[in-house]
Amino acid sequence: MSSTTSKAASKAPSTSDLLKRSLAHYERMVDISNASSILGWDQEVLMPPGGAEVRARTLAELSRLSQEFAGDKAFARDVRALAKAKDGLKNQERRTVELLERRVKDATAVPPELAAEFAVIKSHALEAWKAARTTNDFGRFAPHLEKVVAMNRKIAAAKAGKKGQPYDALLDIYEPGATMAEIDPVLGELRDLTVPLVEQVRKARTKIDMRPLVGKFDPEQQRAFVKDVVVAMGIDLERGRLDVSTHPFCGGVGPVDVRMTGRFDPQDLRGGLFGAVHEAGHGLYEQGLDPKRARHPLGGAISMSIHESQSRLWENQIARSRSFWKHWLPKLKKRFGAQVKSVDLETMWRAANRLGPSMIRVESDELTYNLHIVLRYELERDLISGDLKVKDVPARWNAAMQARLGLTPKNDSEGCLQDIHWAMGAIGYFPTYSLGNLYSAQIMEAAREALPDLDAQIAKGEMQPLREWLRKEIHRHDRVYTAAEIVKRVTGKPLSADPFRRYITGKVDALYPK
Amino acid sequence: MSSTTSKAASKAPSTSDLLKRSLAHYERMVDISNASSILGWDQEVLMPPGGAEVRARTLAELSRLSQEFAGDKAFARDVRALAKAKDGLKNQERRTVELLERRVKDATAVPPELAAEFAVIKSHALEAWKAARTTNDFGRFAPHLEKVVAMNRKIAAAKAGKKGQPYDALLDIYEPGATMAEIDPVLGELRDLTVPLVEQVRKARTKIDMRPLVGKFDPEQQRAFVKDVVVAMGIDLERGRLDVSTHPFCGGVGPVDVRMTGRFDPQDLRGGLFGAVHEAGHGLYEQGLDPKRARHPLGGAISMSIHESQSRLWENQIARSRSFWKHWLPKLKKRFGAQVKSVDLETMWRAANRLGPSMIRVESDELTYNLHIVLRYELERDLISGDLKVKDVPARWNAAMQARLGLTPKNDSEGCLQDIHWAMGAIGYFPTYSLGNLYSAQIMEAAREALPDLDAQIAKGEMQPLREWLRKEIHRHDRVYTAAEIVKRVTGKPLSADPFRRYITGKVDALYPK
């Protein structure tokens, strides 16, 4: 293919020319990535089954093109030249160059042969994981996990160089700039504050009536109710869609075409409602990005954890609040008559906030969820450092589950085989979930300070003041700031477990008194 | 981008190596084209309006990549080397090389600057056409049509070289291998046989009761009915979808993921039913292609006219036949009770086959449709040869409409501004519609000979014998044969207007006796 940058310029190009050329090349990368996003959404939501194999090849080709574009030699040369001229640039241009450098570095750190080898390993690992999970046989997955760990260590070493921490290099893929030095103590604190609260929940004699959320809920009515909620949150359906898929997610091409999905269980409102609010939290972030930066390196979400902070904020801090239900309970009653007719606000709030340990991460509550994450973080951190052997994963898993949640998996399928992440080759991803929870509490405290009438507004169904504040403070800035910078700007403090401690302790004490 | 073919081989590669390399490169082109197809479908069927601008850029990038891949220098060199070795190849390999040559020639005949210039002209022409149509002002479109014609002449000259006919080079884009020398007399014959039949229709005193198809038809019931029909035709919904869009079409990725759409008017069953059967005819062709050739140059539909022959065959020859309604009328009555309760088979058949001249091509019947096409063909042929000036298009159009259909457009919006094709830059496309009609009649005569019980089968709702025959005789062969070759193989004769003459004369005589 012809390169977008010329190979032999008669004289050295100016910084402005270099930037222009690099941005034009970058735009092509965004176009290719946008194509993948929509094809991925289509695959999950409505592709007929016969299309699977050809679709896999199409997506593989787009991924190959992405890599070729990011690793293009002329592009890399331009970006490196820009990096040298960085000091003479204005703030946003410097940040732009840093983001371009990051893309080039990610694409070139791992040699193509290694990337190809990893693709094969991941594909086999995924198949083996599926079989292992069906047969409750960790032994079938173990040799593949060995290879996934070994390959992640190689990639981490290539990215981190001699000085860096290998796990940091992996974390950085999902959470740019985050380090173990920063997150390890905070996640440890999160674990230590959570364990006694779980104990408190288990010992309390609280009884919770679940009829407001478990029973008979017509899926079409659920969809209609959920649509009302997300539109009230501020989701613009002229720039997005809400569909149904087996695994709810938020995809598409933010901010102009955001595709959210939900799943509606006729016997349980929880997954359909809180799941959709969660995805709509992601969706609001995407729709809040600046459309003018849609194909620019500064455009897009900052990181996985900042994304997750937005979804969790709406799901837990808002949709499980008393204020929220003051407005929405009467509307719920209109939709689902008999099932919720006699439910009062307090009963609704208690049902929405029931806590209790469970075996499966994706089914867990907002308290115990973090223990599931910290467990996975500790294991993958130790797998990468070499302190943990793959064969010892099930024992470590089960011991930690017993010690922290008081539960022992009856087999590995409800234990260390439950998640797809490692089978997909992803190590370093898990922490972003809990970082998101911590950020959501920290951001929410700042929101309450900035919006003193917030609860009264939510109680009237007015969610736009909160949404506008989030948009102005976070969404609109795209990638102009790093995650650490934006949190510092918005909350005045670096990452901390304190706001979450205050939030969750208040909830536990109210619902499960000592 | 790295090229898939190496630049400096130490010794000349073998024919088998060249072929392997070229096919690997070709597969990437198919993947990119498949991505475009699905994104195009998404855009028409369900994309939120906000996504339009970004989607246009995504599709433009994929189109650019397609051109870069097709025009890749190393690929072109390999294919030219293969072309030289063609005589030593077996039939299918030789045909493969010919198809590869065609791709390279198409991509390299037109220099990139000319292609870029044309893209701009087309984009402006499209905007001007929209405005001209709204204001009934051909003058607004004329200067753009001048440029479209001039650019098509340039491209035709580049493709045809000094010896070739320019219009043939344009026709060849949509109908590979077709020439004016071949189609001009047949289309002339088609015109001459149709004009007196239209006259016969206009003079007959036939009254047709349209209540079987015009009245009150619930769109959801229409969708359900149409789904039953297309499934009975043999559409496999595990390898395809049937959705709703403003302009019905058949897209997707044949044969594994074929996306058909329909439009359902609550007051008129015709567009919804015959339109969907038409698209399902296209869909059956796509689903009948050999999946093993899905990413190979031999894979895919032969030409636009062969595609159209399949859609027209099902739409007109089958779905407007008495046999078809013998089976489906009782089912129609079950779905639409009151509206069709007292309709008998003869009334149904007559309503489905009403003929009569009209101003708009896309609303016209199967008799007059070809006059609309031949008119456009004659005009564009003469625009390219220089025998017709753009400014004289409206007068020529209106005169031909009056002479052949007995109608004069009251303005250019219902005259020469009605179609989008020229505004999109496409000259040479129109004839494929009528070629498709001619082929459909020719193929149907062969089918009746091969399947003596065809009518009885259709009358029992058994459409699989016809479908399997079409699949075996046409669909399965992908591009192994040219359009001319396949028609010769299937019908024993070259393209001819005779079968269509027999078919349509029979219908006109039955419904509109002299």
Side-chain angles (χ1 to χ4, degrees):
Chain A
M1 301 318 87
S2 75
S3 170
T4 44
T5 56
S6 80
K7 272 175 186 174
S10 52
K11 61 173 187 168
S14 69
T15 305
S16 135
D17 282 347
L18 285 170
L19 197 56
K20 217 164 143 188
R21 225 151 65 177
S22 303
L23 290 178
H25 188 83
Y26 185 86
E27 287 188 349
R28 301 190 67 182
M29 292 161 67
V30 174
D31 293 331
I32 292 166
S33 156
N34 286 347
S36 288
S37 295
I38 298 297
L39 289 168
W41 174 87
D42 180 275
Q43 178 172 327
E44 293 300 318
V45 176
L46 49 73
M47 183 183 76
E53 198 186 319
V54 163
R55 179 62 52 86
R57 288 176 188 275
T58 307
L59 287 170
E61 172 57 32
L62 292 174
S63 156
R64 178 174 172 184
L65 283 167
S66 280
Q67 283 194 311
E68 287 180 3
F69 269 80
D72 181 66
K73 286 203 176 96
F75 174 58
R77 201 168 45 230
D78 285 354
V79 170
R80 281 190 206 108
L82 278 170
K84 278 182 199 153
K86 215 161 42 176
D87 293 341
L89 295 175
K90 278 179 243 151
N91 278 347
Q92 293 215 1
E93 285 187 341
R94 190 161 61 239
R95 175 84 178 130
T96 300
V97 172
E98 282 163 8
L99 288 161
L100 287 171
E101 271 185 278
R102 194 183 144 76
R103 281 304 287 268
V104 169
K105 205 180 145 195
D106 284 352
T108 50
V110 182
E113 316 81 63
L114 206 66
E117 198 188 330
F118 194 24
V120 174
I121 288 172
K122 284 191 280 196
S123 143
H124 292 160
L126 196 60
E127 288 311 306
W129 170 75
K130 282 180 194 162
R133 216 164 82 124
T134 312
T135 55
N136 290 320
D137 181 1
F138 181 76
R140 283 177 86 156
F141 180 51
H144 298 276
L145 183 53
E146 300 266 15
K147 286 183 191 168
V148 165
V149 170
M151 190 53 76
N152 267 287
R153 291 175 73 171
K154 268 194 208 175
I155 288 170
K159 281 192 67 183
K162 290 212 172 140
K163 292 174 297 183
Q165 277 285 351
Y167 187 79
D168 286 355
L170 301 174
L171 188 55
D172 182 76
I173 299 170
Y174 312 102
E175 194 58 26
T179 61
M180 260 168 63
E182 173 202 12
I183 71 167
D184 199 274
V186 184
L187 293 180
E189 199 185 332
L190 179 59
R191 177 196 59 216
D192 296 343
L193 79 88
T194 306
V195 170
L197 290 173
V198 175
E199 190 66 12
Q200 182 176 337
V201 168
R202 296 176 65 205
K203 285 195 175 150
R205 302 189 170 202
T206 304
K207 290 253 185 302
I208 291 183
D209 176 0
M210 288 308 288
R211 276 174 304 177
L213 291 166
V214 182
K216 206 162 162 248
F217 295 91
D218 173 62
E220 277 315 304
Q221 288 294 326
Q222 286 192 49
R223 281 188 78 167
F225 181 70
V226 152
K227 192 184 154 195
D228 289 345
V229 172
V230 307
V231 166
M233 284 168 65
I235 286 295
D236 175 1
L237 291 174
E238 296 283 298
R239 293 188 294 138
R241 292 181 55 91
L242 183 63
D243 293 274
V244 172
S245 73
T246 316
H247 304 286
F249 70 107
C250 175
V253 176
V256 294
D257 182 2
V258 178
R259 309 271 174 110
M260 293 149 284
T261 72
R263 183 178 51 176
F264 303 98
D265 177 342
Q267 263 112 51
D268 196 328
L269 187 59
R270 288 173 295 183
L273 173 60
F274 297 114
V277 171
H278 178 99
E279 300 311 334
H282 286 303
L284 279 183
Y285 185 10
E286 292 285 325
Q287 290 195 337
L289 298 169
D290 188 345
K292 286 197 295 294
R293 296 198 194 101
R295 293 161 77 239
H296 190 280
L298 286 174
I302 298 174
S303 73
M304 300 304 301
S305 76
I306 297 296
H307 231 309
E308 195 72 4
S309 78
Q310 299 305 293
S311 56
R312 290 296 188 181
L313 187 152
W314 288 100
E315 176 193 358
N316 291 331
Q317 311 251 1
I318 301 301
R320 297 188 200 272
S321 70
R322 274 194 191 81
S323 316
F324 178 87
W325 286 107
K326 252 182 214 156
H327 180 78
W328 290 100
L329 182 55
K331 302 193 180 305
L332 193 77
K333 289 185 180 184
K334 273 193 194 144
R335 293 251 176 225
F336 300 105
Q339 175 69 35
V340 291
K341 205 169 60 184
S342 59
V343 171
D344 64 13
L345 180 62
E346 191 59 18
T347 310
M348 186 75 229
W349 179 78
R350 290 167 65 88
N353 287 282
R354 190 177 71 166
L355 304 172
S358 62
M359 213 65 87
I360 306 294
R361 175 184 62 88
V362 295
E363 293 165 5
S364 68
D365 61 58
E366 59 178 323
L367 171 67
T368 55
Y369 189 89
N370 294 309
L371 288 181
H372 289 278
I373 293 303
V374 174
L375 164 60
R376 286 153 180 75
Y377 160 67
E378 291 169 347
L379 263 62
E380 63 180 25
R381 176 196 66 191
D382 294 350
L383 283 168
I384 294 300
S385 73
D387 291 345
L388 175 65
K389 300 275 167 264
V390 163
K391 71 173 170 50
D392 299 325
V393 163
R396 265 281 291 278
W397 185 289
N398 296 347
M401 282 296 289
Q402 185 58 47
R404 297 171 193 178
L405 286 157
L407 299 171
T408 297
K410 64 174 186 293
N411 57 49
D412 290 334
S413 298
E414 62 171 42
C416 63
L417 285 173
Q418 69 182 262
D419 290 311
I420 200 172
H421 301 60
W422 294 340
M424 288 179 72
I427 293 184
Y429 188 110
F430 278 123
T432 66
Y433 291 117
S434 279
L435 295 176
N437 286 333
L438 296 177
Y439 282 144
S440 79
Q442 200 167 337
I443 291 166
M444 197 64 192
E445 282 195 351
R448 286 190 184 287
E449 231 168 275
L451 305 167
D453 297 331
L454 182 61
D455 277 318
Q457 288 158 348
I458 301 287
K460 282 187 281 180
E462 292 167 8
M463 302 197 259
Q464 71 277 22
L466 176 59
R467 179 190 74 241
E468 288 309 314
W469 183 85
L470 290 167
R471 191 160 279 182
K472 180 170 64 78
E473 296 291 329
I474 300 171
H475 307 173
R476 278 281 156 191
H477 298 296
D478 288 75
R479 292 178 185 162
V480 170
Y481 307 105
T482 65
E485 284 167 357
I486 198 94
V487 171
K488 190 79 194 296
R489 272 177 65 96
V490 175
T491 73
K493 299 191 190 85
L495 173 64
S496 158
D498 292 338
F500 185 75
R501 181 204 302 273
R502 287 190 280 271
Y503 163 74
I504 202 69
T505 307
K507 189 171 278 190
V508 171
D509 285 347
L511 255 178
Y512 300 92
K514 279 183 207 167
Chain B
M1 301 314 88
S2 76
S3 170
T4 44
T5 54
S6 80
K7 277 179 180 169
S10 52
K11 58 172 191 170
S14 70
T15 305
S16 135
D17 282 347
L18 284 171
L19 196 54
K20 218 166 142 186
R21 228 153 60 176
S22 303
L23 291 178
H25 188 83
Y26 185 85
E27 287 187 349
R28 300 189 68 182
M29 293 161 65
V30 173
D31 293 331
I32 293 166
S33 154
N34 286 347
S36 288
S37 295
I38 299 296
L39 289 168
W41 175 87
D42 180 274
Q43 177 173 327
E44 293 300 318
V45 177
L46 49 73
M47 183 184 75
E53 197 187 321
V54 164
R55 178 61 53 85
R57 288 176 188 274
T58 307
L59 288 170
E61 172 56 33
L62 292 174
S63 155
R64 178 175 172 181
L65 282 167
S66 278
Q67 283 195 312
E68 287 180 2
F69 269 79
D72 182 66
K73 288 206 173 93
F75 175 59
R77 200 167 47 231
D78 284 355
V79 171
R80 280 188 206 109
L82 278 170
K84 278 182 197 151
K86 214 158 46 175
D87 293 341
L89 295 175
K90 278 180 246 151
N91 278 347
Q92 294 216 0
E93 284 187 340
R94 190 162 60 237
R95 173 84 176 132
T96 301
V97 172
E98 281 163 8
L99 288 161
L100 288 171
E101 271 185 279
R102 192 181 147 75
R103 281 304 287 268
V104 169
K105 205 181 146 196
D106 283 351
T108 49
V110 182
E113 317 81 65
L114 206 65
E117 197 189 332
F118 194 23
V120 175
I121 287 173
K122 285 190 279 195
S123 144
H124 292 161
L126 197 58
E127 289 311 306
W129 170 75
K130 283 179 194 162
R133 215 164 83 125
T134 313
T135 55
N136 289 321
D137 181 2
F138 181 74
R140 283 178 86 154
F141 180 51
H144 299 274
L145 183 54
E146 300 266 16
K147 287 183 189 168
V148 165
V149 169
M151 189 55 74
N152 265 288
R153 291 175 74 173
K154 270 193 204 174
I155 287 170
K159 282 191 67 182
K162 293 213 169 138
K163 291 174 297 181
Q165 276 286 350
Y167 188 80
D168 285 356
L170 301 175
L171 187 56
D172 181 77
I173 299 171
Y174 312 101
E175 194 58 27
T179 61
M180 260 168 63
E182 173 201 14
I183 70 167
D184 199 89
V186 183
L187 292 181
E189 199 184 332
L190 179 59
R191 177 197 59 218
D192 295 343
L193 79 87
T194 305
V195 171
L197 290 174
V198 174
E199 189 65 15
Q200 181 176 338
V201 168
R202 296 176 65 203
K203 286 195 175 149
R205 308 196 163 196
T206 304
K207 289 253 183 305
I208 292 184
D209 175 0
M210 288 307 289
R211 276 174 302 175
L213 291 165
V214 181
K216 209 165 159 247
F217 296 92
D218 174 61
E220 277 316 303
Q221 288 293 327
Q222 285 192 48
R223 281 188 79 166
F225 181 71
V226 153
K227 192 183 153 194
D228 290 347
V229 171
V230 306
V231 166
M233 284 167 65
I235 286 294
D236 175 0
L237 291 174
E238 296 284 296
R239 294 189 292 137
R241 291 180 57 89
L242 183 62
D243 293 273
V244 172
S245 73
T246 316
H247 304 286
F249 70 106
C250 175
V253 176
V256 294
D257 183 1
V258 179
R259 309 269 174 110
M260 292 149 285
T261 71
R263 183 176 53 174
F264 304 99
D265 177 341
Q267 264 112 51
D268 196 328
L269 187 59
R270 288 174 295 182
L273 173 61
F274 297 115
V277 171
H278 178 100
E279 300 311 332
H282 286 303
L284 279 183
Y285 184 11
E286 291 286 325
Q287 289 195 337
L289 299 169
D290 187 345
K292 287 197 295 294
R293 297 196 194 102
R295 292 161 79 239
H296 191 279
L298 287 175
I302 298 175
S303 73
M304 300 305 301
S305 76
I306 299 296
H307 232 309
E308 195 72 4
S309 78
Q310 300 304 292
S311 55
R312 289 298 188 181
L313 187 151
W314 288 100
E315 177 194 354
N316 291 332
Q317 312 251 359
I318 300 301
R320 296 188 200 272
S321 71
R322 274 195 191 80
S323 315
F324 178 87
W325 286 106
K326 252 183 213 155
H327 179 78
W328 291 100
L329 181 57
K331 301 192 182 304
L332 193 77
K333 290 185 178 184
K334 273 195 192 143
R335 293 253 175 223
F336 299 103
Q339 175 69 36
V340 291
K341 207 169 61 185
S342 58
V343 170
D344 63 13
L345 180 62
E346 191 60 20
T347 310
M348 185 75 228
W349 178 78
R350 289 167 64 89
N353 287 283
R354 190 177 70 166
L355 303 173
S358 62
M359 214 64 88
I360 306 293
R361 174 183 63 87
V362 295
E363 293 164 5
S364 67
D365 62 59
E366 59 178 324
L367 170 67
T368 54
Y369 190 89
N370 294 309
L371 289 182
H372 289 277
I373 293 304
V374 174
L375 163 61
R376 287 153 179 77
Y377 160 68
E378 290 169 349
L379 262 62
E380 63 180 26
R381 176 196 66 192
D382 294 349
L383 283 169
I384 293 302
S385 72
D387 290 344
L388 175 65
K389 300 275 168 262
V390 164
K391 70 174 171 52
D392 299 326
V393 163
R396 264 284 290 278
W397 185 289
N398 296 347
M401 282 297 289
Q402 184 58 48
R404 297 170 193 177
L405 286 156
L407 298 172
T408 296
K410 65 174 183 295
N411 57 49
D412 290 333
S413 298
E414 62 171 45
C416 64
L417 285 172
Q418 69 182 261
D419 290 310
I420 199 172
H421 301 61
W422 293 339
M424 291 179 70
I427 293 183
Y429 188 110
F430 278 123
T432 67
Y433 291 117
S434 279
L435 294 177
N437 286 333
L438 296 177
Y439 282 144
S440 79
Q442 200 168 338
I443 290 166
M444 197 64 193
E445 282 195 352
R448 289 193 184 283
E449 228 168 277
L451 304 167
D453 297 332
L454 182 61
D455 276 318
Q457 289 159 347
I458 301 287
K460 284 187 282 179
E462 292 168 9
M463 302 198 259
Q464 71 277 20
L466 176 59
R467 179 188 73 245
E468 286 311 313
W469 184 83
L470 289 168
R471 190 160 281 182
K472 181 169 66 75
E473 297 291 329
I474 299 171
H475 308 174
R476 278 282 155 191
H477 297 296
D478 289 76
R479 293 178 184 163
V480 171
Y481 306 106
T482 64
E485 285 166 357
I486 199 94
V487 171
K488 189 83 194 293
R489 271 176 67 95
V490 175
T491 72
K493 298 190 190 87
L495 172 64
S496 157
D498 293 338
F500 184 76
R501 180 203 304 272
R502 286 190 280 271
Y503 163 74
I504 202 70
T505 307
K507 190 172 279 191
V508 172
D509 286 346
L511 257 178
Y512 299 92
K514 280 182 210 171

